[in-house]
Amino acid sequence: GFIEYFSSDSAAARLDARVKLVLVICILVLVFTWKSPIYLGLLALGIIVFSLMGGIPFSYLRKLILVTLPFGIILTLVHGFFNRWYGETAILGPLPDWIPLLGGMLTMYKEGTLFGLGMAFRTFSLMLAMPMVISTTDMNKLVLGLIDYKVPYKITFVFTMALRFAPLLIEELNAIRDAQA
């Protein structure tokens, strides 16, 4: 499954759960306030580096990135070709007139492409932020951190149950799929 705990003795893994939760909140604020794809790309890269320092194997991060990569490519292409809201600096196209149905159309715009890249990096950052905390923190310490921040017990309970039972649910779904095959 996508929710695993990786035990490590690194400095990033030893951070208190509350510090990691504050870090995730800061990442969320930056993801939704920064507009530059360069800054958002550096943020995603920083999350990957911090996750690797926390003891998360690269194979696990690669799996998360590969799940999100097609969505990021589609976002970049769709905004590149169809988003002219921010400007109309053509970097590719239009297609030649001799191509049926699409001739003279489909121009890729610089501003739309940069916006699409920013959205893709936002998606990567959001996809990697929570596993960075969940995979490097013991579940009990995470729950205690939430309680220390005065998160209501009901919300903490639901969050904990979701995290504890997600791997079991994924395992059961795989067993059902194997049985059907």
Side-chain angles (χ1 to χ4, degrees), residues 80-146:
F81 282 111
F82 301 111
N83 186 350
R84 296 189 298 188
W85 183 266
Y86 297 104
E88 294 189 8
T89 308
I91 58 173
L92 182 68
L95 292 176
D97 289 330
W98 56 268
I99 296 177
L101 299 175
L102 298 176
M105 299 187 318
L106 282 184
T107 302
M108 182 175 253
Y109 299 99
K110 174 185 165 190
E111 296 82 6
T113 303
L114 291 176
F115 181 79
L117 276 174
M119 294 299 289
F121 286 134
R122 277 188 177 103
T123 304
F124 287 140
S125 297
L126 292 172
M127 183 76 171
L128 295 172
M130 280 311 286
M132 174 185 69
V133 172
I134 294 169
S135 297
T136 62
T137 309
D138 179 51
M139 186 62 59
N140 296 325
K141 292 179 182 176
L142 190 59
V143 169
L144 289 175
L146 289 171

Side-chain angles (χ1 to χ4, degrees), residues 3-165:
I3 302 172
E4 297 180 35
Y5 173 67
F6 300 104
S7 180
S8 174
D9 195 33
S10 67
R14 286 192 313 260
L15 279 175
D16 188 53
R18 293 170 293 186
V19 174
K20 292 179 188 178
L21 291 171
V22 168
L23 181 64
V24 167
I25 291 170
C26 291
I27 288 171
L28 290 174
V29 167
L30 293 176
V31 159
F32 291 112
T33 56
W34 282 351
K35 304 259 186 260
S36 170
I38 295 171
Y39 293 154
L40 292 166
L42 290 173
L43 179 64
L45 183 64
I47 293 170
I48 291 170
V49 168
F50 186 84
S51 297
L52 291 172
M53 287 176 20
I56 298 176
F58 182 73
S59 60
Y60 179 77
L61 291 175
R62 190 184 76 218
K63 184 173 30 169
L64 291 176
I65 292 169
L66 287 177
V67 165
T68 315
L69 188 62
F71 184 67
I73 291 171
I74 290 170
L75 267 174
T76 303
L77 291 176
V78 165
H79 281 286
F81 282 111
F82 301 111
N83 186 350
R84 296 189 298 188
W85 183 266
Y86 297 104
E88 294 189 8
T89 308
I91 58 173
L92 182 68
L95 292 176
D97 289 330
W98 56 268
I99 296 177
L101 299 175
L102 298 176
M105 299 187 318
L106 282 184
T107 302
M108 182 175 253
Y109 299 99
K110 174 185 165 190
E111 296 82 6
T113 303
L114 291 176
F115 181 79
L117 276 174
M119 294 299 289
F121 286 134
R122 277 188 177 103
T123 304
F124 287 140
S125 297
L126 292 172
M127 183 76 171
L128 295 172
M130 280 311 286
M132 174 185 69
V133 172
I134 294 169
S135 297
T136 62
T137 309
D138 179 51
M139 186 62 59
N140 296 325
K141 292 179 182 176
L142 190 59
V143 169
L144 289 175
L146 289 171
I147 291 172
D148 283 346
Y149 279 139
K150 308 288 187 235
V151 175
Y153 291 112
K154 288 181 181 181
I155 294 174
T156 303
F157 177 75
V158 169
F159 180 74
T160 305
M161 288 299 108
L163 290 178
R164 287 193 190 271
F165 287 116

